[in-house]
Amino acid sequence: MNIGRAAELSGVPSKTIRYYESVGLLPPTGRAANGYRDFTAQDVDILRFISRGRGLGFSVEQVNELLSLYRDRERACSDVKRIAVSRLADIERKMQELASMRDALQTLAQQCPGDARPECPILADFMDPVHGPGKA
Amino acid sequence: MNIGRAAELSGVPSKTIRYYESVGLLPPTGRAANGYRDFTAQDVDILRFISRGRGLGFSVEQVNELLSLYRDRERACSDVKRIAVSRLADIERKMQELASMRDALQTLAQQCPGDARPECPILADFMDPVHGPGKA
DNA sequence: ACTAGGCTTACCAGCCGCTGGAAGGTCAAG
DNA sequence: CTTGACCTTCCAGCGGCTGGTAAGCCTAGT
């Protein structure tokens, strides 16, 4: 099948499919006589695998590792879990970062009347955070 | 003062300071006779403002808006609040996105024994998420 | 047979927010 | 006078695409 159909079936845009191929994430597909890429159902499966991994926030490099593990009949489940757990830790870290940003911003926003007056506690804090709600 | 000192006082690396200047976030500083940038205490204040804004996750463009509002004596507090509230919404959205990733991954990780066996529910889900813990 | 349009190809450029490195000028201390 | 730390500019690259260009191909309708 052509790239457009593969895109449709996998949910990955054609451009992105070519990109994945170019960075070695998707192995080069076969080519039809006219030079068009020719995708098999298995290629589409791989694309879906990639899409799922990316959707869970794994980096392209990590998805590559996971794909290698998938292809490796001798792989140990623990290797997969290690990557997943490391990703979980990433997520937790980012969530905490966001939470502290949110808390600081919420405090500031609450102090801000949000009317037409020019005095703004948010800007005041930005210029001199010493007395503000703390670090973000 | 030189850029190194300004970096030290503001916590923003020299390279980044030059970058901020190049994209119009920090107005061009004065120059000493030797061509070196010459920072005033006010320049450092602006750098800290930028740093605080970036630390709260505002984009460079948003920080630019906030800086413009700061400089504008006639600004309305509501304009500032609008930007802050929009950033808060961004944060909430990202946190939810991360939370759903975390939930899906945690479910998968729990199902994964993490031992030396090759059968891995995580990889199985990646290849065929239909029966898995759902979308991320 | 011809044309219109939609698909495909490859390539280069740009997005964001830096960060690293090269190649050179300047300055203070030894 | 040299060393080393600082400063200058500019160009390139990170990740992960995405857009645009120019060209080739393929199919349906006239």
Side-chain angles (χ1 to χ4, degrees):
Chain A
M1 77 188 79
N2 283 348
I3 197 170
R5 182 84 181 117
E8 207 178 332
L9 291 180
S10 66
V12 180
S14 310
K15 275 236 140 178
T16 307
I17 295 178
R18 289 192 200 101
Y19 168 74
Y20 285 158
E21 193 198 78
S22 81
V23 297
L25 192 43
L26 178 72
T29 62
R31 294 283 179 151
N34 56 13
Y36 287 14
R37 284 175 187 78
D38 189 17
F39 292 77
T40 64
Q42 210 175 359
D43 290 327
V44 173
D45 283 343
I46 294 178
L47 282 172
R48 277 205 270 250
F49 185 107
I50 295 171
S51 182
R52 174 99 171 112
R54 297 284 304 127
L56 287 172
F58 290 96
S59 71
V60 162
E61 188 45 44
Q62 283 174 324
V63 172
N64 217 344
E65 286 181 60
L66 290 170
L67 262 176
S68 304
L69 289 173
Y70 182 82
R71 281 192 268 260
D72 181 6
R73 308 272 99 192
E74 306 294 320
R75 86 235 173 186
C77 196
S78 56
D79 290 333
V80 180
K81 189 157 188 173
R82 188 180 35 75
I83 296 175
V85 164
S86 130
R87 171 71 193 134
L88 269 172
D90 268 8
I91 291 173
E92 297 287 359
R93 225 178 311 114
K94 268 193 188 123
M95 286 187 72
Q96 276 171 26
E97 208 178 310
L98 286 172
S100 78
M101 287 182 190
R102 182 199 52 195
D103 294 348
L105 255 184
Q106 261 174 358
T107 305
L108 287 176
Q110 272 160 23
Q111 290 167 11
C112 179
D115 56 20
R117 282 176 296 172
E119 297 81 21
C120 185
I122 297 177
L123 294 180
D125 169 275
F126 269 45
M127 213 30 128
D128 181 15
V130 174
H131 315 292
K135 55 264 150 217
Chain B
M1 76 187 81
N2 284 347
I3 198 171
R5 182 82 181 122
E8 205 179 333
L9 291 180
S10 66
V12 180
S14 310
K15 276 238 140 181
T16 307
I17 295 177
R18 289 193 200 99
Y19 168 73
Y20 285 158
E21 194 199 76
S22 81
V23 296
L25 193 43
L26 178 71
T29 62
R31 294 283 179 150
N34 55 15
Y36 287 15
R37 282 175 188 79
D38 189 18
F39 292 76
T40 64
Q42 210 175 356
D43 291 327
V44 173
D45 284 343
I46 294 177
L47 282 171
R48 277 204 271 250
F49 185 108
I50 295 170
S51 181
R52 175 100 171 113
R54 297 285 304 127
L56 287 172
F58 290 96
S59 72
V60 162
E61 189 44 45
Q62 283 173 323
V63 172
N64 218 343
E65 287 181 59
L66 291 170
L67 262 176
S68 304
L69 289 173
Y70 182 82
R71 282 191 268 262
D72 181 5
R73 306 273 99 192
E74 304 296 318
R75 86 233 172 188
C77 198
S78 56
D79 290 334
V80 179
K81 189 158 189 175
R82 188 180 35 75
I83 297 175
V85 164
S86 131
R87 171 70 193 134
L88 269 171
D90 270 8
I91 291 174
E92 297 288 358
R93 224 178 312 114
K94 271 196 184 121
M95 285 186 74
Q96 275 171 25
E97 207 179 311
L98 286 172
S100 78
M101 288 182 190
R102 183 199 51 195
D103 294 347
L105 255 183
Q106 261 174 357
T107 304
L108 288 176
Q110 271 160 24
Q111 290 167 10
C112 178
D115 56 20
R117 281 176 298 173
E119 296 83 19
C120 184
I122 297 177
L123 294 181
D125 170 273
F126 268 45
M127 216 28 132
D128 182 15
V130 174
H131 314 293
K135 55 264 151 217

